[in-house]
Amino acid sequence: MPHRILQNRRAFIKTLAGAAAGLAGSGAIGAPLIKNPGLERKLTLNNMHTGEKMTAVYWADGHYMPQVLQEVDHLLRDHRTGSSIQMDRQLFDLLYLLQRDIGLHKEFQVISGYRSPETNEKLRKQGQGVAKKSYHMQGKAIDIRVPGVALRDVQRMALKMKAGGVGFYSRSNFLHVDVGPVRHWG
């Protein structure tokens, strides 16, 4: 093979490797939100539809805690159907960072976590501004409010993180956050 072709291939491969490394550290989808894996991570959640509350350490000693995560997944279930799925673990990390910025003693009031396809379609037909392919159905979104903290303040903190979607719903008094592409509305 001619020397020039090999040089071009090597340059191309180096370019691809550099681009991949850049994406991995840029907050791109799939990149870790928390850089220090040694910290203990705890969330306080209050499901407004079921009345269930929990404060739980979901990450410790460098690992997610499977039993705790199952309990969190259950708390975030679709309250209309009772169905649940494994929520995206990066969503919990996003909430942890947001809770840390707000104040670790604050709880998240959960308006909506997981949403089954049936529930999502029902809400869409009722004209409630629900996306056809909502990230709630994939376990990648949650609608929240924080008692004692202005919704606009929570929105500003979430936008500053640039970790996914942020939707502001002032009339319904909640904030949507997800770990999809970075975007915002409302």
Side-chain angles (χ1 to χ4, degrees):
M1 194 175 298
H3 183 66
R4 175 177 236 145
I5 292 173
L6 280 176
Q7 282 181 321
N8 288 341
R9 280 189 183 166
R10 285 185 189 127
F12 177 71
I13 290 170
K14 280 183 179 177
T15 302
L16 283 179
L23 282 176
S26 70
I29 296 172
L33 293 173
I34 300 174
K35 305 300 182 212
N36 183 347
L39 296 175
E40 182 178 273
R41 302 176 201 163
K42 179 169 51 170
L43 288 174
T44 300
L45 304 167
N46 179 358
N47 186 317
M48 301 307 292
H49 296 285
T50 66
E52 296 164 300
K53 295 179 182 185
M54 101 180 334
T55 296
V57 174
Y58 72 92
W59 170 281
D61 301 322
H63 302 286
Y64 289 107
M65 310 300 289
Q67 181 63 38
V68 174
L69 290 170
Q70 286 180 347
E71 293 172 22
V72 176
D73 290 341
H74 179 74
L75 184 133
L76 297 177
R77 71 191 176 280
D78 181 334
H79 71 275
R80 292 169 180 88
T81 66
S83 59
S84 65
I85 63 169
Q86 179 176 307
M87 299 294 286
D88 190 302
R89 298 337 189 193
Q90 279 202 321
L91 182 63
F92 300 150
D93 291 342
L94 183 149
L95 289 173
Y96 166 77
L97 291 172
L98 197 53
Q99 186 170 271
R100 183 195 64 192
D101 291 349
I102 293 168
L104 289 176
H105 61 283
K106 296 289 187 179
E107 74 176 22
F108 287 113
Q109 292 181 339
V110 178
I111 312 307
S112 181
Y114 170 65
R115 209 182 286 149
S116 68
E118 301 82 27
T119 295
N120 200 71
E121 187 57 27
K122 180 181 175 184
L123 294 174
R124 267 181 32 78
K125 286 181 178 175
Q126 291 174 355
Q128 296 194 19
V130 172
K132 185 174 188 171
K133 295 184 179 185
S134 171
Y135 281 102
H136 286 277
M137 294 189 299
Q138 298 173 38
K140 294 179 178 287
I142 190 166
D143 297 336
I144 56 168
R145 71 174 71 105
V146 181
V149 180
L151 203 56
R152 281 282 183 208
D153 291 341
V154 180
Q155 177 199 31
R156 275 191 283 280
M157 289 177 214
L159 288 170
K160 196 165 95 176
M161 292 171 60
K162 296 183 182 175
V166 178
F168 184 80
Y169 295 89
S170 61
R171 277 195 270 182
S172 302
N173 190 32
F174 71 84
L175 190 72
H176 167 101
V177 293
D178 67 53
V179 290
V182 175
R183 67 216 185 286
H184 62 90
W185 62 95

